[in-house]
Amino acid sequence: MDYEEYNAKPGKRIGSAQKMSDIVLAIMSENNMGRQMLEHRAIDLWKIVTGPTVLRATRNIYIKNGVMFVELNSSVIRNELIYSKRKVLENINNAVGQDVIQDIVFR
């Protein structure tokens, strides 16, 4: 290490140093963590997008290969969601900010 690098001011980049945010984003993209975070966000946004009535009827939600599986305990709500599936899917992806979910299966 030469003298200039050793006496560098704090916060000043030396050589090929990178911002921490760039490093974290690179690690997340290598491990497909960015997509997983977006999928978790989609699950969290389910309650906002669908409202309290649907949330009360929801037993479980999970995402596998871009498909959101929603288990419901009400056949009436399930049928209503099947009819409005395209709109619900669009609203969730808009809330997330990306097309994370390709399909929704109501059970």
Side-chain angles (χ1 to χ4, degrees):
M1 182 182 306
D2 65 2
Y3 182 74
E4 283 183 4
E5 288 181 7
Y6 183 75
N7 286 325
K9 295 179 182 176
K12 185 177 179 183
R13 292 187 191 169
I14 301 171
S16 64
Q18 296 176 322
K19 292 192 313 186
M20 182 62 87
S21 60
D22 293 340
I23 294 169
V24 170
L25 288 173
I27 291 170
M28 287 174 60
S29 66
E30 283 179 17
N31 296 316
N32 201 21
M33 291 173 61
R35 179 150 184 93
Q36 290 173 352
M37 287 179 61
L38 291 173
E39 288 175 351
H40 284 287
R41 181 154 169 75
I43 291 170
D44 289 339
L45 289 169
W46 171 259
K47 60 185 166 192
I48 296 169
V49 170
T50 59
T53 304
V54 174
L55 184 61
R56 280 192 297 274
T58 303
R59 283 191 287 160
N60 189 23
I61 304 173
Y62 64 95
I63 299 172
K64 185 174 182 179
N65 299 324
V67 178
M68 177 180 274
F69 294 89
V70 181
E71 295 177 12
L72 300 158
N73 59 17
S74 169
S75 60
V76 174
I77 292 176
R78 183 181 310 110
N79 287 337
E80 290 295 322
L81 288 171
I82 288 169
Y83 289 121
S84 60
K85 180 167 101 170
R86 189 173 63 205
K87 187 66 174 171
V88 171
L89 179 64
E90 181 182 309
N91 288 342
I92 290 174
N93 283 330
N94 286 340
V96 171
Q98 290 187 21
D99 288 342
V100 177
I101 310 300
Q102 282 75 45
D103 194 14
I104 302 177
V105 175
F106 299 107
R107 296 181 171 180

